[in-house]
Amino acid sequence: MYKSVTFGLLLLPLLALTPGCAKQGEAAAPDGGDALGTSFGERTQASAAKQRRSDRPASPRPSMGGATESEAAPSDASSWGDDADFGSGAIAIEESKPGLGTAFGEHRHSSVETVGFRRADPSTPDVVFSIRYNDVGGVRAAATHKRTRAFSNDAMQQHAGLSFALLDDRGDILPAASVGSELWAVGQPEARYSLAIANDTSSAFEVVTSVDGLDVIDGAPASFSKRGYIVDPFSSVVIDGWRTSEDSVAAFRFSSIEDSYSERMGDGRNVGVIGAAFFREAPRQWEEWRAPEETWRRDRANPFPGR
């Protein structure tokens, strides 16, 4: 029986902190975070925080039945009609735009190192968050298709002390709309965004994230068996882009569907959705908690053993 022991990455202290990386299976460029408090808002300079990612053998992908998703718009939310906008600032996007994807943007510095992690359940996440995105016209079309109204919201989901949000380049949560049980973030072409994860629990979690159906670390089709970033108890991380090396990521930028990373890699069928699967850390074995044998022996050394 295989043990889900994995090896991930520890973020090195930097002035601007961004997520970890992989030596193997890094995202390929198409042809042609910052540390954050456990509440999402304006970014501030922070002390060094840890981001790690783990490697594990492939395991069968389970059904989504065991995952929990945040859904349902609040009943008192304001209705979002054709002439309304989100919050205090209107979002001007041409109605003729075919929709948004996510491009392989400019490189941003990010350094990490490897650490270990064991999942409590190797294949079934404790929580799965899913946020769809498009331009204003695309969100309106989604509401029309579902024969429902869109209600103003924030691009953030929360459950049992865990949070997942989309941030703009200033560190503010993107505007969104609740359309039925789905949450739709509203973006603008060429705008940069990041994925923010907060863990307000006493357990560590491995978080496997995807954009447009592709894993953000290796750029291949996303799966629960993939490695992920490790978020320590009562901490948070921001993922700024596709992992390209141990020291850099390619920024997430909204683009046309034709210019999206997934479309240019030949797999654009999942454009427009971002996911995060949270796996709780397994209880540590006694052997992991005790000190190394040499340290244990020296602690019990007796200066007068024959007295």
Side-chain angles (χ1 to χ4, degrees):
M1 181 177 181
Y2 119 83
K3 295 182 179 179
S4 177
V5 180
T6 61
F7 296 91
L9 298 180
L10 174 66
L11 183 69
L12 299 179
L14 293 173
L15 182 61
L17 303 179
T18 51
C21 74
K23 287 187 177 180
Q24 299 179 348
E26 295 159 357
D31 295 334
D34 299 343
L36 186 72
T38 51
S39 60
F40 299 122
E42 182 177 354
R43 294 192 190 185
T44 57
Q45 183 172 340
S47 59
K50 289 190 282 186
Q51 289 185 29
R52 302 174 284 173
R53 70 115 178 115
S54 63
D55 298 322
R56 69 170 26 75
S59 59
R61 182 170 181 172
S63 66
M64 296 293 289
T68 303
E69 296 193 7
S70 176
E71 60 181 19
S75 58
D76 57 348
S78 60
S79 175
W80 179 53
D82 289 346
D83 298 324
D85 57 76
F86 292 85
S88 58
I91 300 175
I93 298 179
E94 296 179 11
E95 293 291 341
S96 60
K97 292 288 184 180
L100 295 180
T102 297
F104 196 90
E106 74 280 4
H107 288 276
R108 300 177 63 82
H109 185 73
S110 171
S111 296
V112 291
E113 63 185 33
T114 303
V115 297
F117 185 89
R118 178 185 288 115
R119 292 179 179 181
D121 187 319
S123 59
T124 305
D126 292 76
V127 176
V128 175
F129 291 127
S130 177
I131 300 178
R132 299 183 181 276
Y133 70 88
N134 210 335
D135 55 22
V136 169
V139 177
R140 287 175 178 154
T144 300
H145 175 71
K146 293 180 179 294
R147 298 183 179 181
T148 186
R149 306 187 73 180
F151 295 87
S152 298
N153 209 330
D154 291 324
M156 179 174 68
Q157 293 183 324
Q158 297 176 302
H159 178 77
L162 304 174
S163 301
F164 180 56
L166 307 188
L167 307 181
D168 61 21
D169 57 3
R170 299 172 300 176
D172 297 327
I173 300 175
L174 286 175
S178 293
V179 179
S181 62
E182 297 177 336
L183 182 64
W184 288 74
V186 179
Q188 300 185 63
E190 300 183 2
R192 184 173 68 84
Y193 72 91
S194 302
L195 315 182
I197 300 165
N199 176 13
D200 284 322
T201 77
S202 58
S203 300
F205 282 84
E206 178 187 7
V207 184
V208 179
T209 52
S210 70
V211 173
D212 294 346
L214 301 181
D215 186 85
V216 301
I217 292 179
D218 65 13
S223 164
F224 290 158
S225 64
K226 292 295 183 71
R227 60 201 167 193
Y229 290 96
I230 311 305
V231 187
D232 287 328
F234 305 106
S235 68
S236 59
V237 297
V238 171
I239 302 172
D240 279 330
W242 310 95
R243 176 55 50 187
T244 58
S245 74
E246 290 188 345
D247 297 308
S248 67
V249 295
F252 297 131
R253 283 195 178 273
F254 290 123
S255 69
S256 67
I257 294 178
E258 292 77 11
D259 290 334
S260 68
Y261 178 51
S262 59
E263 184 72 18
R264 296 183 68 181
M265 295 299 287
D267 190 10
R269 57 185 171 177
N270 294 305
V271 169
V273 64
I274 299 170
F278 289 70
F279 294 84
R280 189 183 303 271
E281 184 178 26
R284 296 191 180 185
Q285 303 297 323
W286 166 247
E287 290 76 11
E288 297 180 60
W289 287 106
R290 58 179 276 182
E293 187 65 27
E294 178 64 16
T295 302
W296 180 85
R297 184 181 65 80
R298 286 179 177 272
D299 282 346
R300 286 157 179 76
N302 189 340
F304 300 101
R307 64 179 178 182

